[in-house]
Amino acid sequence: MTDDNQQENLPKPPPLPGQIYIRPGIDDRPDLDKALTPEDKKAIARLAVHIEREQPADSAERAETQAVRLSAAGSPAVATAVPPTPIADASSAFLDMRDPMVAADGTRPDKSQVGRLTASFALAALLRTAPWAMLNMVALPAILDRIFGNALHAGRALPLSVEAARVSGAAPAPWLALVVIIGAIVGLVANVIVGVLSDHTRTPHGRRTPWIIAGGLLSALFTLPLGALGNVGSILFFWLLLQIAYAMLSAPLAAAFGERFPDKFREHAMRWRGIGLMLGQLLGVAMGVGGIALGGALPFGLTAAVFVLAAAVPVLVWPKEPSSEQIANVKYSLEPAFDQMQLPSGDDGATFRRAYVARIFMMAGVGVMTVFQWFIVRHYVLAEWYMDARSAAGSSPRIWATCIAMLMIAVGTAVGAAAAAGYAGRFGEWCEAKNVSSRVVVITSCVVYAAAIVIPIVLALFLSTPVINAGLCVYGIVSGFAFGLYDVFNQDVVAATIPDPRDNARYLNAFNVASVIGTVVAACLGVVAVLSLGYIALLVAAIVVVLIGAFLTPKD
């Protein structure tokens, strides 16, 4: 026993290297309760505060979303071209240390996913613009033309004189203006409400996807009855429902564009989206006039089907939207969104307010020529031709002449907008080299657009439809090119009037309202002009307000 105890008390040799494994960060971790002093423990306790989960920025607070909406409200050239001075985005990843390959929603799309996103938004722009252009530029005025007894079919006699024909053609103009005014206001409010609601939507399918699908299906549903309605009241009812449904489709698409594209690829995707807008406008007019000229009826079934595709195609093509269930469920209000639409006050915003008013006048002139385009072609430019054709045939000719003329304008406008988008970059470089300001280009574009309006006045003197159609195509090219350059370079002027680049989203949000106000002013002005002196006064009024817009353009 004594020998055993002595052996236990003998000193043990130290362990050989590697004999005992010490796990780094585990076995050698100090006991913080013993290692830290009471002062250290109090300092750490002060850092242990609850941090609220970050709420994604609302779509109204993002400059890129407002730029997307601005391009949708104007010429497609502004979305396709490269402006001289792009709208600055204070939240861009290029201005800080964030990764520009990561989108605002936190995703990092790879090369194939970026291609799918680009294709989906380009197709969405085409598919949602086509039925909307068909309804606004062809279907709605043609429906009212039919209700008020103007010749859409063979066999109806026109009045005995060209002047009487033009006076009778003015009958549906006030009702068209009423539907357009109320629809524009309801659409503006619906865009704000849908934008706020979609920003705070928490579903496994994301914030935007449910709204896009519902908006496309409801737009198709409300489009189908329009072709069978026979009074203005029912048309107005379904038109207002359609405005709300279309806002459910378009507003989430605009917001999704800003939050799903990384900053690195957004400019490239914007160009493809502009091409989609351009082709969509042309396809929409072709759908409308084709249905009238070939079948004698408006193609509302086809239009409803395109609305369904506008909702389904982007959702199926783009990568699945991430779930939004992790978004904090916070209380929200619609008031801040409506407040951002108000004009800024004070001396700092004086120049911006002038640009705002100039935009209203320009959009009023453009709105007069687009809202009443069917009536201008049918009851002014072609009125004398219809009288001559009736005298030769003994009955009222079919409406195909109006359809071809509308299509020629649409083709010319698309060509002009494409030319403006293609040459805007080179023209901007030339202006920079020659020290020509963007304001000079904007004013020149307004003057050229006003000069283009004179072409329909001259064409009303011709009886030959080939001459008229060629002239209307030239009108479309010149006006499309002028309006395209105006939109591209006016963006530079507007950017220069914003006092603080950090407030770009708020200023652009307010500036987008100017397009809606311009449409309302155009409808009111058109009614007064048509009912007082006829369509010649309508064209003269459009020239005057466009020139006023040029005069009010501020210095950049």
Side-chain angles (χ1 to χ4, degrees):
M1 296 291 293
T2 304
D3 294 336
D4 293 338
N5 292 334
Q6 291 179 351
Q7 291 179 357
E8 290 179 359
N9 294 329
L10 292 175
K12 295 181 180 180
L16 297 174
Q19 185 176 358
I20 298 176
Y21 177 70
I22 298 176
R23 296 169 294 178
I26 299 177
D27 295 328
D28 59 352
R29 184 172 57 186
D31 187 353
L32 298 181
D33 289 335
K34 298 178 181 179
L36 296 178
T37 64
E39 290 77 10
D40 294 335
K41 293 178 181 179
K42 290 181 181 179
I44 294 176
R46 287 195 296 269
L47 297 177
V49 296
H50 176 67
I51 300 177
E52 294 290 341
R53 184 180 300 170
E54 184 179 358
Q55 180 76 11
D58 290 343
S59 57
E61 299 176 359
R62 296 198 300 269
E64 72 274 8
T65 302
Q66 306 311 321
V68 169
R69 291 175 177 169
L70 182 63
S71 65
S75 171
V78 74
T80 311
V82 179
T85 306
I87 296 294
D89 182 9
S91 62
S92 174
F94 289 114
L95 301 181
D96 52 31
M97 298 300 293
R98 287 176 298 150
D99 189 353
M101 306 290 284
V102 177
D105 61 355
T107 59
R108 185 187 180 93
D110 55 26
K111 183 177 181 180
S112 63
Q113 290 176 332
V114 170
R116 291 169 59 187
L117 285 170
T118 303
S120 65
F121 282 104
L123 291 173
L126 188 151
L127 293 174
R128 75 171 178 83
T129 305
W132 198 241
M134 176 267 179
L135 291 171
N136 283 274
M137 301 188 67
V138 179
L140 185 61
I143 291 172
L144 296 175
D145 223 7
R146 180 187 64 192
I147 291 176
F148 285 88
N150 294 305
L152 274 179
H153 304 285
R156 290 191 60 87
L158 286 173
L160 297 179
S161 65
V162 176
E163 291 75 14
R166 289 171 175 168
V167 171
S168 67
W175 299 107
L176 175 63
L178 175 65
V179 174
V180 168
I181 291 172
I182 299 178
I185 297 173
V186 171
L188 176 63
V189 176
N191 268 282
V192 176
I193 296 176
V194 170
V196 174
L197 294 179
S198 66
D199 287 337
H200 298 271
T201 299
R202 302 168 68 247
T203 68
H205 305 288
R207 295 195 287 176
R208 315 301 178 187
T209 300
W211 288 92
I212 293 172
I213 295 176
L217 295 178
L218 290 177
S219 297
L221 179 64
F222 298 144
T223 298
L224 290 174
L226 286 176
L229 300 176
N231 61 83
V232 179
S234 58
I235 291 175
L236 178 60
F237 175 75
F238 280 97
W239 187 254
L240 298 184
L241 293 178
L242 184 59
Q243 294 286 335
I244 299 173
Y246 186 72
M248 295 171 61
L249 174 64
S250 59
L253 278 172
F257 186 92
E259 66 191 14
R260 299 207 64 182
F261 266 108
D263 292 341
K264 181 72 174 179
F265 308 106
R266 188 174 296 142
E267 182 177 324
H268 174 73
M270 194 79 171
R271 295 178 186 176
W272 279 104
R273 181 180 172 275
I275 294 174
L277 292 173
M278 197 179 304
L279 296 178
Q281 291 183 1
L282 177 59
L283 179 61
V285 176
M287 286 169 50
V289 300
I292 297 175
L294 300 178
L298 300 175
F300 286 96
L302 177 60
T303 304
V306 177
F307 268 129
V308 174
L309 291 176
V313 168
V315 174
L316 294 176
V317 174
W318 69 22
K320 185 179 183 299
E321 186 181 3
S323 172
S324 59
E325 291 179 309
Q326 76 280 1
I327 296 177
N329 188 12
V330 297
K331 293 183 179 180
Y332 58 90
S333 173
L334 297 174
E335 185 176 355
F338 283 103
D339 290 341
Q340 289 194 4
M341 299 168 58
Q342 299 178 2
L343 281 175
S345 58
D347 296 337
D348 292 339
T351 308
F352 177 81
R353 289 193 295 271
R354 179 168 178 172
Y356 184 90
V357 176
R359 175 74 173 183
I360 290 177
F361 276 96
M362 180 62 184
M363 294 306 293
V366 175
V368 166
M369 300 304 297
T370 54
V371 170
F372 298 97
Q373 187 176 100
W374 175 275
F375 297 150
I376 292 173
V377 173
R378 170 68 184 84
H379 300 292
Y380 179 72
V381 177
L382 291 174
E384 189 168 353
W385 179 88
Y386 272 103
M387 287 297 301
D388 186 71
R390 175 186 176 274
S391 301
S395 62
S396 175
R398 292 188 179 272
I399 205 66
W400 62 264
T402 304
C403 296
I404 295 177
M406 291 287 292
L407 184 60
M408 296 303 295
I409 295 177
V411 171
T413 302
V415 172
Y423 287 96
R426 299 178 184 177
F427 195 61
E429 295 175 357
W430 179 85
C431 292
E432 185 177 358
K434 299 296 183 180
N435 198 22
V436 177
S437 66
S438 298
R439 179 176 182 265
V440 174
V441 181
V442 170
I443 294 176
T444 305
S445 300
C446 292
V447 173
V448 174
Y449 190 92
I453 301 176
V454 180
I455 297 177
I457 299 176
V458 177
L459 293 177
L461 304 176
F462 292 90
L463 293 180
S464 173
T465 53
V467 175
I468 294 176
N469 290 333
L472 290 177
C473 185
V474 173
Y475 157 74
I477 294 174
V478 176
S479 61
F481 182 79
F483 185 47
L485 282 184
Y486 165 84
D487 248 3
V488 172
F489 285 86
N490 191 57
Q491 180 172 305
D492 191 22
V493 174
V494 173
T497 62
I498 298 177
D500 191 349
R502 293 173 296 181
D503 291 334
N504 276 347
R506 182 170 66 90
Y507 278 88
L508 291 180
N509 201 355
F511 194 76
N512 283 326
V513 182
S515 300
V516 179
I517 298 177
T519 301
V520 174
V521 172
C524 297
L525 182 65
V527 171
V528 175
V530 170
L531 296 183
S532 58
L533 298 174
Y535 285 104
I536 184 67
L538 183 69
L539 299 175
V540 173
I543 295 174
V544 171
V545 294
V546 167
L547 294 179
I548 293 176
F551 175 77
L552 293 177
T553 302
K555 295 182 180 180
D556 53 344

